Amino acid sequence: RLEEITVQVGKTGTITPVANLTPVELAGTTVSRASLHNADEIARKDVRPGDVVVVEKAGKIIPHIVRVEKHERKGSLRKYVFPAKCPSCGRKLVRDEGGVYIRCPNMECPAQLRERIQYYTSRNAMDIEGVGDKLIEQLIDKKLVRCYGDLYRLQLDPLMRLERMGRKSSENLLEAIDQSKDRGLARLLNALSIRHVGTRVATVLAQSFRSMDALVDADAETLSAINEIGPIIAQSVYDFLHSDYGRRTIEDLRDQGVKMASGPAAEGPRALEGKTLVV
């Protein structure tokens, strides 16, 4: 049974509805939550709080709602009304032009900031060891971190005053943050939570431009001409780099000593060039 529908705010502002279910055993685990993806999906399946739903695991891992058992519906359950304002900051939500996703446009939204900092410090991004969800919540709640650059401005004494942060763990965290400055352009581009840019796109961009300055100088047409970078991704990257938020973010990180260039291109024999590998 679907008990209620709540929403989550993602790192790019996407508002994702989540079905909170009466816990049920499914393929070896207890399932109590399932993504409803977007408002259109809720309307298409006519999912309502109180409904009995059929859930399966996509790929035997991720639970999702297949359908509503409408013959089990008792009385007239109210249709779910998607929120008009962000549950975190209260900003009016906007729908992507020509798309299905509804977003919070406020780049300073606390929920977005939490998700972005969490991703920035993650293993696939800047790989800062020792930064967990609880610590990020404290850093944001205490207003020690309001942007990526604030991570590099953290100091020992304020860190030691946080819960479960002694001198040694605080010193280790500051060292890990400092080491992250040399992760290179590809990891940095991935870490910035630019819409449509993940690990693969970030790597392609870093290999093509080698430095942040060269990337900023490229127009959308130049970006879209790169193999694997289509016009939608190109426009998203260009818009981010030339927005006030994007420019401030890059300059702030540069001022903190974050490396914004790739290493020299590898030279020497290319033994695998032209070959196809089948695994």
Side-chain angles (χ1 to χ4, degrees):
R1 188 172 297 278
L2 193 159
E3 296 178 352
E4 66 171 338
I5 297 175
T6 56
V7 294
Q8 294 178 332
V9 185
K11 59 188 174 70
T12 60
T14 307
I15 307 296
T16 303
V18 177
N20 293 273
L21 310 165
T22 302
V24 61
E25 286 291 321
L26 182 63
T29 63
T30 300
V31 172
S32 60
R33 289 160 62 85
S35 172
L36 285 166
H37 305 294
N38 54 64
D40 290 0
E41 184 77 353
I42 294 175
R44 185 177 69 83
K45 293 179 178 176
D46 190 21
V47 181
R48 305 183 188 187
D51 272 333
V52 173
V53 296
V54 175
V55 179
E56 71 176 13
K57 284 186 174 180
K60 298 184 179 179
I61 298 174
I62 303 170
H64 75 106
I65 291 176
V66 180
R67 68 178 181 274
V68 174
E69 297 288 62
K70 292 184 179 178
H71 62 278
E72 295 275 4
R73 189 175 281 173
K74 307 298 182 186
S76 56
L77 298 179
R78 287 186 178 182
K79 287 190 174 183
Y80 175 72
V81 178
F82 207 87
K85 294 182 178 180
C86 175
S88 178
C89 69
R91 181 72 68 87
K92 184 179 179 181
L93 301 178
V94 296
R95 180 184 281 265
D96 286 354
E97 187 176 348
V100 297
Y101 292 110
I102 296 172
R103 299 179 191 272
C104 169
N106 179 16
M107 295 299 291
E108 296 179 359
C109 170
Q112 282 190 62
L113 178 59
R114 264 194 308 274
E115 294 294 321
R116 287 200 301 269
I117 295 297
Q118 186 175 0
Y119 189 75
Y120 186 90
T121 60
S122 68
R123 187 168 296 176
N124 285 336
M126 301 303 269
D127 194 15
I128 303 176
E129 191 172 347
V131 182
D133 296 352
K134 296 296 184 185
L135 177 58
I136 290 173
E137 285 184 15
Q138 290 189 76
L139 292 173
I140 292 174
D141 290 344
K142 301 289 186 183
K143 294 185 169 41
L144 294 174
V145 171
R146 298 183 182 183
C147 62
Y148 301 131
D150 283 346
L151 288 168
Y152 301 96
R153 285 185 281 268
L154 288 173
Q155 297 180 353
L156 185 61
D157 286 345
L159 277 177
M160 289 174 57
R161 289 195 286 270
L162 300 178
E163 291 181 23
R164 300 182 183 180
M165 292 297 291
R167 173 174 290 274
K168 186 61 178 175
S169 56
S170 297
E171 289 174 344
N172 289 343
L173 175 60
L174 291 176
E175 183 179 353
I177 291 172
D178 189 61
Q179 290 174 352
S180 75
K181 294 177 180 179
D182 295 321
R183 296 288 187 241
L185 182 60
R187 280 181 173 270
L188 176 60
L189 289 172
N190 181 34
L192 291 176
S193 292
I194 303 171
R195 200 180 302 179
H196 306 305
V197 176
T199 53
R200 177 59 189 164
V201 170
T203 299
V204 170
L205 291 172
Q207 290 173 345
S208 300
F209 291 95
R210 316 300 299 176
S211 74
M212 184 67 79
D213 289 338
L215 185 57
V216 170
D217 287 341
D219 56 25
E221 187 177 354
T222 302
L223 290 169
S224 65
I226 299 169
N227 188 34
E228 298 187 52
I229 308 295
I232 293 176
I233 296 175
Q235 193 63 52
S236 177
V237 172
Y238 180 86
D239 289 346
F240 177 88
L241 295 176
H242 293 84
S243 67
D244 289 340
Y245 171 82
R247 282 194 293 263
R248 287 199 313 269
T249 297
I250 292 167
E251 288 310 310
D252 190 18
L253 290 173
R254 195 194 303 272
D255 290 344
Q256 300 311 312
V258 176
K259 184 178 178 182
M260 297 198 174
S262 299
E267 297 180 358
R270 301 167 66 89
L272 298 180
E273 188 166 28
K275 295 183 184 294
T276 299
L277 307 182
V278 181
V279 180

